[in-house]
Each structure stands twice: as structure tokens, then as C-alpha cells.
Amino acid sequence: MVGKKSGRAQLREEGLERTDNNLDLTTWPQVNMINQKNYYTEFMKREDQYLAFRAPQDEQRARMVREARDKDRALAQGILTEGGNVAVGDEPMDDVEAPILSREDYPSKLIILHIGSQNLRIGLGTDALPKTVPMVIARKWKESESEEDGGEPSPKRLKVDGAVPADAFPEKWFGDDFSDQYLAMSSALRVRMRTNKRRVLPNSKDLVVNFNRRTPPDIISEHNDVNRIDWTELPSDPTKAPSFFIGNDALRIPEQSNPRYKLFWPIRNGSFNEKDYTNRNQIYHDISKIIEEALRTQLGITRSRDLANYKCVFIIPDLYERTYVTTMLDILIRDIGIGKVCLQQESLSATFGAGYSSACVVDIGAHKISICCVDEGMCIEESRINLKMGGADVTETFIKMMLYGHFPYADMNLKRRFDFLLAEELKHKFCSMEESSVIVQTWDFHLRASGQDTRKYQFKTYDETMLSVMGFFTPSIFDHTRKLEGRRKVIPRSVDLYDGSPNDPTSLAQIAIIEAAGGKALSVNGTQETPNGVAVSTPQRAAPLNFLGRLNDNENTPRSSIAGSPAPDGTSTPNPDRDTPGMGDTDQPTIFRDPVLEKIKLADERDKVLPVIALDHAILESLAQGARGEDRKLRDFFGGIMLIGGGSKTPGLGAFLETRLRELRPYYGKEILVGPPPREFDPQVVIWKGGSVFGRLSLNGNDSWISKSEYDILGSRLLNNKCMFAW
């Protein structure tokens, strides 16, 4: 029997005895295990952990310290008394306050910038009205824009064997389609005027044609023309000519100049002009040059290093493209060198300028119409609409109708600079939506071209002045053939960083407009309205506009699976996924789909459709999506429809639109009210004025300012935290 061993002996014999000297086996720090039962962290859960929030707080703290230090220094030097008043000698002046604020916080250091397709409006926070500069740059080129395409004019004439026939009548210049639509609109206008007890003469058109056909122009020598134009002068040596001109100087360059110059408009339809550019960098540099020259000539900021002390409120479209916003932000901060930039949407800025809390803003610009409902200082995202038509289409259609009526200046070409300016002048003077103006009237105008004597023309008009603006309600009369040309050719679509799907913002109202423009009818008060304005009667009463059922993401009731249901055994029911060419193996039906690829295909299909429908139907769609079924809110929006933009200055347009809306929505006849901005504001500058008001209210207490130091670190990722709207 073996005796019992002690514990010490067992440790020694079995090798379990500890023989080290209590020293660590390694000098590498030991990390203890995490207690999984009570695990907690504050990482990225506080605002002070975000650079976008921490930097403004640090700047505010540094500014307060600097102000206190400056005040103490002033007290020590005897400039200020203990009460904060300025002292002169031994007696303080109580009516003078101490200049405590930093100079960069004054409104004189605030720039408001609103870029449109045709004009750039820029000004300081202390300006009552902005400076307007045409958004155009003229660069040296091998030929001018009027000489391109073999000198083909605009509006385009119908050609036979590559040339316009000499004996062709003006009624045949623009094709049978335009002629039929013009005559149909003219006939409908006469019926409307007779219904409204207006006198309509049967031979009015014949009077206009006969007068215009036989009236020659009067020649006025240049020294007798008191309103002659000062053209842009070029040096006699072509090698010393400037490489570019900006704004009005570019529009006043003679057509046959030596060297030749070509006009470039970098912005079209609220985004970049990809039709006339072949390089993204060229668009980038042209916009930079236009803004830099506007800052230098209009605001007097001649030194680039001074711009670091300025802040800029940049106004963007409501339904923007991400690439447009990030590119413009990069131009302002990195290329031009502005210290801080804040982004503001157009419709929200318009309500700031007008002093409204809730409104439906209809902005009629040169190349786009923007519609958006604003409620309590926020743009309702699903109500945003962008129509690709505007005042430029009215100008072209007005000239077409004038030429159709044997306009005495039959050689008008909108590609020529002086003809373009003349057409804009004629539109502003003579176009009207008032039925009282639809009479035979005699007008005159002066044609001034570089190197030619001034010619005075007399002409008569009848219904062209109204029917051209009626194109907003019958958009098929406009020429849309080249508006989608070059789309996505130079600048690609913005995509998500992780899955590559398109991430440009859209809205239910815009989706409905695209579907309607693609051929699907909008239900309006018991009739189906097609995109060209032809009504098709329906037997049942139409329900309120609601397009929520078209998108899966906005439905409360889930739909069935995207996978097709299997067919019963022994039947020959076709499977669309299997039988469609290019959808996989014919023996095995497609079960899984790539959602990213579907989004890309859907975005490509939408890009192929031009969003253009009648203006009154687009407003009703925006109102329906903005109210979202609330009758009280819908009535508020109906009573606050505000027309802004250059196209809204047409006399009688607001009253005519109001009448059309009441005809489509008779149940809200008393609530519908369409009007211009209050306090006799110019509709063209109300957006800029709202940006000025917003910038002056938020110089210190606004977290939406993007500084250069933050932008250098985070880039456009800052917009997720800096924008007051959903980015």
C-alpha cells in the first residue's frame, strides 16, 4: 500500500509546481477580454465627435475669445469705457456703439449667387437688388454659332433637297404639323373669345398678312440713330484680341468679327449644357470664368485672396442633380476661393423673399419651369417638378408665328446675336395673355446690326402675341427635338458609392409627369388629358391624383414576391421571365433579379423621356402630392400659388392660369388664387432676395455653412450634415 503523498510532493513530481519568478512572459501590453454582458460605447454618438458639428463650435468659441480680447485691449487703451461706449477725451459718447463684431460677419461680406440658364444674378447682402449678367461666355472659335451647320437658321426652315425653296410661302416654312397646330389653336381662341362676348373680325389674319407683305423698311443712317448700340470693340491686330468675353460684352460682339467668337451657354434646363460641350473641364472652366468676372466687374472684388473673408449663399434648383451641386460647390470653394458656402433651394428662397410661410411656387425661367410646394420653411420633396420648357420656347414660337404671318423681317435668325436680342425685346413688349390685346395692331421696331444702317420696320399682329404664350398650356407647339441631345454624354449620372445605383433625388410628382409625357394619361376631373392637350372623355368620375401605388417603397401593404408564380402542371401558360429574349436559360425560369441593375435601367428609361406637359396639369399634380390627401392643406396651397421668374411677367398670365385651374377644379373655385410676389417685388429677383434675407439671418447661428478647411478634409460628404434638406 502506497502511502499518501502531500500536496507539495504531488506538485513537484507531476510538474505542476510554479517555478517562474512572477514576471510577464512578454512586454507586449495585454488586452483584457470585453465583458459581453455589459458592452457599451459612445463612438460617433455625440455631435462633438463629428467634424461638421465640432468645427463651427470651435470657430464660435474662438470668435468670442477674440472679441473679448479686442474689447479688453480697447478698454486698456482708453478707447472704450466700462459701459462699452467710445470715449473722446475724458467724456464718453453714449450714442456710439463699440464695433465688437468680426468683419467677416457683416452683410457686406455676404455674396448671394443665383445661376440660371440665361442670366446670372449676383450681389452683396447690403444690395437692395442684384446685378444681372447674361450666363454666357464668348471664346475664340473657327466660326460663329450662326455659321455652324452650314448657316442653318433658327427657327429651322423646312428644306427641299437641302435648301429652302425661293418660291416657298412662309406658311410652308415650318411644316404641316406646326401649321395644323397653329390653326387649331387660333380657331380655339376665337371660340373662347366669342364665348366671352369678345368681338372677332373674320378677316383679321388677312389684314395682317397683306400689311406685312407690302410694307418695306425705312433706312436710318447711323449718325441719325439716337439709340444706336455700342458694339464690343476688338483690337485691329487679331493676335491681341482677348481670348474670351463675358455677359453683355459677349452678346455685342459683331458676327463677322476678326477673329471669330462663338457663344457658349454652360447652363441649360437647370443643369449643365452637355449638347454644346465635349469636355467636362471646359464646362467647369467656363462657369468659373463667368463667376470670377462677375465678382470683379459687378461687385468690385479684384483680389482673389480677399474672397476667403466672404460667405456665399448659393441657390440651387429644387429638383437638383447631385453632380451639379457638388461641381458648383467645388468651383466656389476650391477654384474661386470663397471662404464659406451655404446651399439654399429656389422655392424655399422665394418664400423667404416674399414673406410667405406656405405657398406653391411656380418659377417660369428661360429653359425650365420649376414647381414646388413649400410648407413651414421646408420644400415638400414629393411635390417637386421640373419641366423642360420656358421663356426661350415662347420666344422661338413667337418668331415662328410672326414669320408665318409674313413678318417683314423674314431673314430673322435667332442664332445671330442681334436677332436674338431683338426677339427677346419683341416678346417682352408685345406678348400678352389678355384677350383684349387680341386685335389687329400696328407696331414698329428698329433693327440694329454691326456695320449696317438701322432699319425701321412696321408690322401688324393679331393672335400671335397670345398664342405663343399659350404654348405653356399646349406644349406640343414648342420644338422639343434637340432638348435631350447630348444627355449624359459629358457628365455621367451620380451613383451610390456602395452599390452603384443612381441616387439623384426624384419625386412622385416628377415620376407622374414623366409617365404622362411618355404617353400615360393624367386623370383630371373626369377626362384623361394626354400630353399634347387632347382630352379623352371617360365614363366615370376621376379620383384625386394619387400616384403612390406606382412605387413599392411607398406602399403600406406589401406586394407579392418579384419571383414569378409557377404554372400548374399540364398547362402551357407562358412564363414572361422565361420566354422573354435575353432573360436567361429558356429551360430554367429567372428567379432572382439584380435590384441595382433594375434601378439603372429605370433611370435610363426616364432620361429618354422629356418631362413636358401642360402647365396647369403640372401644378395640379404638384399640389396633389404636396397636400397628400389633406383637404385643408390643399386649400391653403390653392390660395397661395405664386408666379415668379422672367416668364411670369407676361401680362395676364396669372389671371389666365387661375381661370384654367378653376375650370379643372371647380370644387375649389373660391380658394384658387394665382398672383405675383407681394410688395411689388420683381418676380425675376425674388429668389435672390430670399437668399439675401436667409444669409443675413443666419450669419452666426446657422450650422449649414461649409468652410474651406472642412471641405478640404471631407469633400462633398459634408453635405449629408450641412444641408437643410434631404441630400
Side-chain angles (χ1 to χ4, degrees), residues 339-360:
K340 290 186 178 181
V341 177
C342 176
L343 302 178
Q344 176 77 306
Q345 290 176 294
E346 288 179 343
S347 294
L348 181 59
S349 182
T351 56
F352 269 95
Y356 289 166
S357 59
S358 298
C360 176

Side-chain angles (χ1 to χ4, degrees), residues 101 126 172 209 248 348 361 429 442 451 523 553 570 603:
L101 292 177
T126 54
K172 303 296 183 181
V209 171
N248 290 314
L348 181 59
V361 181
K429 283 185 177 180
T442 304
S523 297
D553 297 339

Side-chain angles (χ1 to χ4, degrees), residues 268-389:
R268 277 290 183 266
N269 302 318
S271 186
F272 297 118
N273 180 13
E274 300 180 71
K275 181 180 70 174
D276 299 331
Y277 284 86
T278 58
N279 192 338
R280 179 176 181 175
N281 292 332
Q282 188 180 3
I283 302 178
Y284 188 99
H285 292 308
D286 282 0
I287 295 176
S288 300
K289 289 296 182 183
I290 293 174
I291 297 177
E292 287 176 356
E293 288 296 313
L295 291 172
R296 183 180 62 85
T297 59
Q298 304 298 325
L299 303 185
I301 305 176
T302 57
R303 296 186 300 180
S304 300
R305 61 176 179 270
D306 294 341
L307 289 170
N309 299 324
Y310 283 80
K311 294 183 177 181
C312 176
V313 176
F314 180 64
I315 302 173
I316 65 174
D318 302 321
L319 200 59
Y320 54 86
E321 294 182 359
R322 284 173 173 258
T323 305
Y324 171 79
V325 177
T326 54
T327 302
M328 295 302 303
L329 187 61
D330 194 73
I331 290 174
L332 293 175
I333 292 182
R334 291 184 176 171
D335 195 38
I336 298 178
I338 296 178
K340 290 186 178 181
V341 177
C342 176
L343 302 178
Q344 176 77 306
Q345 290 176 294
E346 288 179 343
S347 294
L348 181 59
S349 182
T351 56
F352 269 95
Y356 289 166
S357 59
S358 298
C360 176
V361 181
V362 182
D363 181 13
I364 305 177
H367 291 267
K368 73 175 179 68
I369 298 178
S370 176
I371 308 171
C372 181
C373 294
V374 181
D375 186 24
E376 300 298 335
M378 291 295 292
C379 292
I380 301 178
E381 297 179 10
E382 303 301 341
S383 68
R384 297 175 295 179
I385 290 178
N386 189 315
L387 302 179
K388 304 301 184 183
M389 62 179 181

Side-chain angles (χ1 to χ4, degrees), residues 49 63 220 316 337 385 547 633 657:
Q49 294 175 338
R63 188 181 64 84
I220 303 175
I316 65 174
I385 290 178
F547 296 90
K633 186 175 292 186
L657 176 59

Side-chain angles (χ1 to χ4, degrees), residues 190-208:
R190 288 196 297 269
V191 173
R192 184 185 184 93
M193 293 178 64
R194 290 192 183 99
T195 305
N196 296 333
K197 309 300 182 183
R198 298 265 182 196
R199 184 183 179 185
V200 179
L201 298 177
N203 60 341
S204 299
K205 293 294 293 184
D206 295 335
L207 294 175
V208 171

Side-chain angles (χ1 to χ4, degrees), residues 607-664:
D607 284 344
K608 297 177 183 177
V609 179
L610 186 69
V612 170
I613 67 167
L615 177 59
D616 48 353
H617 294 161
I619 294 175
L620 290 178
E621 178 62 28
S622 177
L623 291 172
Q625 297 297 342
R628 301 300 294 270
E630 297 184 19
D631 186 70
R632 181 191 59 82
K633 186 175 292 186
L634 182 60
R635 293 179 185 273
D636 292 341
F637 286 146
F638 267 127
I641 301 176
M642 181 173 60
L643 285 180
I644 61 175
S648 67
K649 299 178 71 174
T650 304
L653 178 59
F656 185 87
L657 176 59
E658 187 175 308
T659 303
R660 290 289 294 255
L661 293 176
R662 287 175 178 173
E663 292 174 356
L664 296 174

